[in-house]
C-alpha cells in the first residue's frame, strides 16, 4: 500500500489499496470449504486479509463505539432459517439516525456527514489500477484453497500499479462502521468532498459488485439503504460486512421477469424482490440496470433496500457461480418509531436479524419475524403495479 493525501479529512494521509480485475476471485470458497478452514485466514483473498486485519487493528485501538468480536447467534426454526444475532450495544450506542423526511432530501453540511469522521476510522482507499496481471485468477484460487499464500506474497501482490485515470485516483474510502452489526462491518464511501446524497449511483453499484469479487469469503455481503428505508446518514455510502452463515436468499427460487436484463423475481421468500444476476462477465451492464431501477424508485418516491451476495445462478439450486443482487421496493418510514426487536432494512429483508434486546432474541419465531417484515412491504396489488412500472421503465429504450 502507498499513502496519499485525502482532502476533507483534516489533512489525513490514507493508504491506497490498489487492485485490478485480475484480482477478482470468480468462484470463491464454497460454504463447505469455509467450514473446513474457518480458522485459517490464509484461505481468504488478499482483499479479505487486508480489510479484516486493519478492522481488527482499529477494534483493538478502541475506535469503535463498542467492542464486537463474536455475537450470540440463533438460527430460527422454519423454512427460511433466519439468522438472528444479539447485538444490544448497536441498538443502544449507535449514532442517532438523522431526521429524514424525503427520499430525495438534499445534502445538509450542518448534519453529520463523512467529511466529519475521525481519520483514524479510515482503513484505506481502494483504487482500480491498470498494468500487467499480478496473478492469474485460477492460480490464486488454487493457492488460497491450499493455504499456500504467504504473508510475504500478500505484500508483493499489493504493490502499487499506475493509476488508471486522474478521476480514479480519488478511489473509494473503506471506513469502519463505528457501530458495527457484524465482524468487518465497513462503509464504502466515494469521494466524501462531493457531498453526494444517499441516492445510489451506477459507479458505486459497480464498485460494490467488484468488492464482492475481490473477496473469496462466501459470507461477504454488500448492501444499500435508501432514505426512508433506514438509511441513517444522508451521505452516499454502501455497507460491507462478513456474515459467516449461509442465507436462503443465496439459492432461493426465482422466476424470469426480463431475462435479457438478467432480471428475475424472487419467489418463495417472505420479502418478494427484484433479483439481478451477474457471473462477472457483464458487471457494468448489470450495475447500469440496477441503477436505472433505483433511479426509477427515487423518481417515484419509493423507498428501497439492496443486498448483494454470492449466490446461485437463477434456475440452479446448487452451483454458486455469480452474484445475486436483490432490490426491494418497500414502504417509506420517515420519522417512524423504530421496532423494538429489529429495524427492517437490507439485512433483515435478506434473512439476517441483528436483534436489539435479549427478550426478543430468545422469543423470536419465523412467524413473528415475517409479521414485522410484512408491515414494511407493499400489498400484492401495489407490488404488481410497481413491478409493471419498473419493467416498462427498464425496457423502454431496449
Amino acid at each position: 500500500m502507498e499513502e496519499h493525501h485525502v482532502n476533507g479529512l483534516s489533512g489525513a494521509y490514507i493508504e491506497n489499496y490498489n487492485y485490478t480485475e485480475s484480482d477478482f476471485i470468480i468462484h470463491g470458497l464454497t460454504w463447505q470449504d469455509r467450514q473446513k478452514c474457518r480458522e485459517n485466514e490464509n484461505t481468504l483473498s488478499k482483499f479479505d486479509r487486508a480489510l479484516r486485519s486493519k478492522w481488527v487493528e482499529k477494534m483493538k485501538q478502541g475506535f469503535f463505539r463498542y467492542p464486537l468480536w463474536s455475537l450470540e447467534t440463533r438460527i430460527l426454526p422454519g423454512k427460511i432459517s433466519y439468522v438472528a444475532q444479539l447485538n444490544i450495544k448497536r441498538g443502544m450506542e449507535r449514532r442517532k439516525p438523522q431526521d429524514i423526511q424525503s427520499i430525495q432530501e438534499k445534502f445538509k453540511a450542518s448534519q453529520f456527514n463523512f467529511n466529519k469522521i475521525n481519520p483514524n476510522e479510515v482503513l484505506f482507499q481502494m483504487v482500480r489500477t491498470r498494468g500487467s496481471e499480478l496473478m492469474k485468477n485460477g492460480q490464486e484460487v488454487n493457492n488460497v484453497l491450499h493455504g499456500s499464500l504467504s504473508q510475504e506474497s500478500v505484500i508483493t501482490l499489493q504493490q502499487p500499479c499506475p493509476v488508471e485515470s486522474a478521476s480514479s485516483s480519488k478511489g473509494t474510502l473503506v471506513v469502519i462502521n463505528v457501530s458495527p452489526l457484524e465482524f468487518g462491518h465497513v462503509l464504502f464511501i466515494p469521494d466524501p468532498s462531493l457531498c453526494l446524497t444517499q441516492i445510489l449511483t451506477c459507479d458505486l453499484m459497480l464498485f460494490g459488485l467488484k468488492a464482492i469479487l475481490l473477496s473469496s469469503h462466501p459470507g461477504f455481503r454488500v448492501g444499500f439503504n435508501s432514505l426512508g428505508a433506514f438509511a441513517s446518514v444522508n451521505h452516499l455510502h454502501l455497507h460491507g460486512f462478513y456474515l459467516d452463515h449461509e442465507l436462503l436468499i443465496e439459492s432461493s427460487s426465482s422466476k424470469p421477469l426480463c431475462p435479457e436484463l438478467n432480471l428475475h423475481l424472487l419467489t418463495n421468500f417472505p420479502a418478494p424482490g427484484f433479483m439481478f444476476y451477474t457471473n462477472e462477465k457483464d458487471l457494468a451492464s448489470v450495475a447500469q440496470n440496477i441503477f436505472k431501477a433505483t433511479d426509477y424508485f427515487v423518481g417515484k418516491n419509493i423507498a428501497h433496500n439492496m443486498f448483494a451476495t454470492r449466490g446461485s445462478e437463477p434456475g440452479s439450486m446448487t452451483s454458486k457461480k455469480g452474484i445475486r443482487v436483490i432490490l426491494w421496493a418497500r414502504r417509506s418510514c420517515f420519522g417512524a418509531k423504530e421496532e423494538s426487536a429489529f429495524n427492517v432494512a437490507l439485512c433483515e429483508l435478506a434473512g439476517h436479524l441483528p436483534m436489539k434486546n435479549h427478550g426478543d432474541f430468545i422469543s423470536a419465531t419465523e412467524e413473528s419475524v415475517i409479521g414485522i417484515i410484512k408491515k414494511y412491504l407493499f400489498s400484492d396489488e401495489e407490488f404488481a403495479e410497481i413491478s409493471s412500472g419498473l419493467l416498462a421503465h427498464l425496457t423502454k429504450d431496449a
Side-chain angles (χ1 to χ4, degrees):
M1 292 191 187
E2 57 183 359
E3 288 189 343
H4 279 266
H5 182 75
V6 175
N7 293 323
L9 282 171
S10 304
Y13 282 84
I14 306 298
E15 287 182 300
N16 270 4
Y17 181 93
N18 299 286
Y19 70 93
T20 72
E21 276 74 4
S22 65
D23 294 315
F24 289 168
I25 311 297
I26 304 305
H27 298 302
L29 296 169
T30 65
W31 280 110
Q32 290 75 17
D33 291 328
R34 178 61 184 161
Q35 291 295 331
K36 293 176 184 176
C37 53
R38 191 178 294 272
E39 302 302 320
N40 186 356
E41 289 289 299
N42 286 328
T43 60
L44 301 178
S45 72
K46 59 177 182 173
F47 167 72
D48 291 318
R49 285 180 295 225
L51 189 156
R52 291 162 73 95
S53 65
K54 285 190 168 291
W55 194 89
V56 167
E57 181 182 310
K58 298 296 184 183
M59 181 64 72
K60 290 180 177 178
Q61 292 172 344
F63 291 117
F64 292 79
R65 293 194 169 207
Y66 49 86
L68 185 150
W69 297 109
S70 63
L71 294 167
E72 187 177 354
T73 302
R74 283 184 64 213
I75 307 300
L76 303 191
K79 64 178 183 179
I80 308 302
S81 296
Y82 280 109
V83 179
Q85 294 186 310
L86 184 60
N87 193 339
I88 297 175
K89 290 286 188 179
R90 177 171 167 83
M92 294 173 56
E93 299 188 22
R94 63 179 299 205
R95 182 182 292 108
K96 182 180 179 181
Q98 294 172 0
D99 183 17
I100 305 296
Q101 296 298 324
S102 168
I103 293 169
Q104 304 178 37
E105 190 156 314
K106 302 297 183 183
F107 180 89
K108 297 178 182 177
S110 60
Q111 291 185 324
F112 171 79
N113 62 75
F114 299 126
N115 290 304
K116 300 180 180 182
I117 64 173
N118 181 342
N120 289 313
E121 295 172 15
V122 180
L123 299 186
F124 44 75
Q125 177 178 230
M126 294 186 66
V127 180
R128 179 179 176 268
T129 60
R130 60 180 173 82
S132 59
E133 292 189 0
L134 302 180
M135 183 176 281
K136 295 291 185 181
N137 280 325
Q139 182 63 41
E140 177 166 0
V141 172
N142 183 64
N143 288 343
V144 165
L145 291 177
H146 289 83
S148 61
L149 244 162
S150 68
Q151 192 64 33
E152 289 74 20
S153 65
V154 173
I155 294 172
T156 301
L157 285 169
Q158 293 179 183
Q159 292 301 310
C161 301
V163 175
E164 185 177 54
S165 67
S167 61
S168 68
S169 64
K170 288 187 178 296
T172 302
L173 290 183
V174 182
V175 178
I176 61 172
N177 188 319
V178 294
S179 302
L181 58 83
E182 244 292 9
F183 182 89
H185 189 180
V186 295
L187 305 177
F188 296 121
I189 305 170
D191 185 3
S193 66
L194 297 176
C195 299
L196 300 173
T197 57
Q198 183 65 351
I199 294 177
L200 190 63
T201 64
C202 183
D203 285 345
L204 188 57
M205 186 65 243
L206 180 58
F207 173 85
L209 297 176
K210 291 179 177 180
I212 290 176
L213 289 177
L214 287 170
S215 170
S216 65
H217 194 302
F220 182 69
R221 331 288 181 152
V222 168
F224 174 85
N225 296 321
S226 81
L227 301 180
F230 284 105
S232 59
V233 177
N234 187 15
H235 197 175
L236 184 58
H237 63 285
L238 291 178
H239 292 266
F241 62 95
Y242 294 89
L243 175 66
D244 218 350
H245 296 273
E246 188 171 6
L247 297 174
L248 177 62
I249 205 166
E250 299 168 34
S251 59
S252 54
S253 60
S254 62
K255 64 180 183 181
L257 194 57
C258 186
E260 57 268 32
L261 298 179
N262 286 323
L263 175 59
H264 304 260
L265 189 63
L266 196 66
T267 57
N268 297 323
F269 202 77
F274 304 101
M275 187 180 80
F276 294 86
Y277 178 82
T278 175
N279 60 4
E280 68 80 25
K281 296 178 181 178
D282 55 354
L283 292 182
S285 61
V286 168
Q288 177 66 28
N289 290 331
I290 295 168
F291 163 70
K292 288 176 66 176
T294 56
D295 190 55
Y296 174 77
F297 290 153
V298 171
K300 296 292 184 180
N301 287 306
I302 299 173
H304 49 281
N305 304 94
M306 181 276 291
F307 185 86
T309 182
R310 289 185 183 266
S312 301
E313 183 178 0
S316 172
M317 300 294 288
T318 54
S319 64
K320 294 189 177 181
K321 299 180 179 179
I323 299 174
R324 288 183 164 207
V325 181
I326 298 88
L327 189 60
W328 289 280
R330 44 83 58 78
R331 296 189 184 280
S332 302
C333 46
F334 298 121
K337 182 179 179 181
E338 296 185 354
E339 297 286 342
S340 62
F342 57 85
N343 296 333
V344 178
L346 68 94
C347 292
E348 294 78 7
L349 290 169
H352 172 211
L353 308 172
M355 308 288 282
K356 300 178 185 179
N357 64 79
H358 191 267
D360 285 319
F361 173 73
I362 295 299
S363 64
T365 65
E366 183 174 285
E367 183 180 14
S368 68
V369 167
I370 293 175
I372 292 174
I373 289 175
K374 289 291 187 183
K375 293 193 297 183
Y376 292 86
L377 302 180
F378 291 108
S379 67
D380 292 343
E381 295 76 14
E382 290 169 321
F383 182 79
E385 184 178 348
I386 291 170
S387 179
S388 177
L390 175 62
L391 190 58
H393 175 76
L394 292 176
T395 58
K396 67 179 179 181
D397 297 323

